[in-house]
Amino acid sequence: MKHYFSFFIFKYFHIKDKTKKQFPYHFHDFNKVILFVSGDVTYYVDGRPYILKPGDILLVRHHCLHKPVINPSAVYERIVIWTRPGFLESPLNYPENLGSCFGIATSAGKCLLRPESSLLKELKNDLTLLETSMTEEGYGAGILTASYFLQFFVHLNRAYIKLDSSGFDS
């Protein structure tokens, strides 16, 4: 877990484990993105179940009740990003709201993005660059990490905006 700019903009986790832990419904004051890699998990967001498949991206907006139901016999691998809503709303004073994807997902009742292969490849590449940059310490390392974080959210928002304009499947 790493902090950037001396205040919490985001936290990044790449987790692979088996757990017998049962989670109650809960909520956070931050937004959460989950890229599901493997396992057997049903995620409930505001009471709606999402049966996850490898490559799925789940968005959980701050203050939304959610919980995972995890099959303890399967290895559960996922990439999780926590981010402050305020930063996404106007990153570095740009007019774009990178938190729009959370609003679109919540209002449409579709927190799950099942990206086509080319988009999934692009998003995974963004996350690989982000994860790699987090271990670097050279000149501009923090700026580079922040730029990969922003790049991921630009691509994620473009996907959600495209879905919103074309309509979500039921």
Side-chain angles (χ1 to χ4, degrees):
M1 175 167 35
K2 210 167 184 184
H3 297 256
Y4 293 92
F5 303 121
S6 78
F7 57 94
F8 165 46
I9 293 174
F10 75 92
K11 294 182 182 180
Y12 182 98
F13 308 89
H14 190 153
I15 306 164
K16 185 176 184 179
D17 62 5
K18 278 187 174 182
T19 184
K20 292 183 179 181
K21 186 176 179 182
Q22 294 182 359
F23 295 88
Y25 274 106
H26 62 283
F27 66 90
H28 309 283
D29 62 353
F30 51 81
N31 292 322
K32 179 164 48 173
V33 178
I34 302 163
L35 170 65
F36 180 71
V37 179
S38 67
D40 182 5
V41 178
T42 300
Y43 223 99
Y44 291 83
V45 180
D46 283 338
R48 182 176 178 163
Y50 296 95
I51 299 169
L52 301 182
K53 296 181 180 180
D56 283 353
I57 297 175
L58 189 69
L59 300 183
V60 182
R61 188 176 187 172
H62 61 287
H63 300 138
C64 281
L65 285 174
H66 63 281
K67 75 173 183 174
V69 176
I70 304 163
N71 178 343
S73 66
V75 174
Y76 177 25
E77 184 176 1
R78 68 271 190 205
I79 294 172
V80 181
I81 297 174
W82 296 348
T83 185
R84 287 191 179 204
F87 178 76
L88 288 176
E89 289 170 7
S90 60
L92 308 174
N93 295 317
Y94 284 97
E96 288 84 0
N97 179 351
L98 294 180
S100 294
C101 55
F102 292 98
I104 293 168
T106 302
S107 65
K110 290 289 205 172
C111 297
L112 180 70
L113 177 64
R114 192 161 279 155
E116 53 152 39
S117 62
S118 62
L119 175 60
L120 179 59
K121 183 178 177 180
E122 182 175 50
L123 293 168
K124 280 184 171 181
N125 184 58
D126 291 343
L127 292 174
T128 298
L129 291 168
L130 174 60
E131 190 168 339
T132 301
S133 74
M134 291 172 61
T135 63
E136 296 175 354
E137 295 183 9
Y139 176 82
I143 294 169
L144 189 58
T145 297
S147 70
Y148 291 137
F149 170 82
L150 293 172
Q151 178 175 301
F152 171 76
F153 270 93
V154 166
H155 292 145
L156 186 61
N157 273 278
R158 285 180 178 176
Y160 260 89
I161 289 167
K162 182 179 177 182
L163 279 177
D164 191 40
S165 64
S166 65
F168 284 89
D169 295 334
S170 296

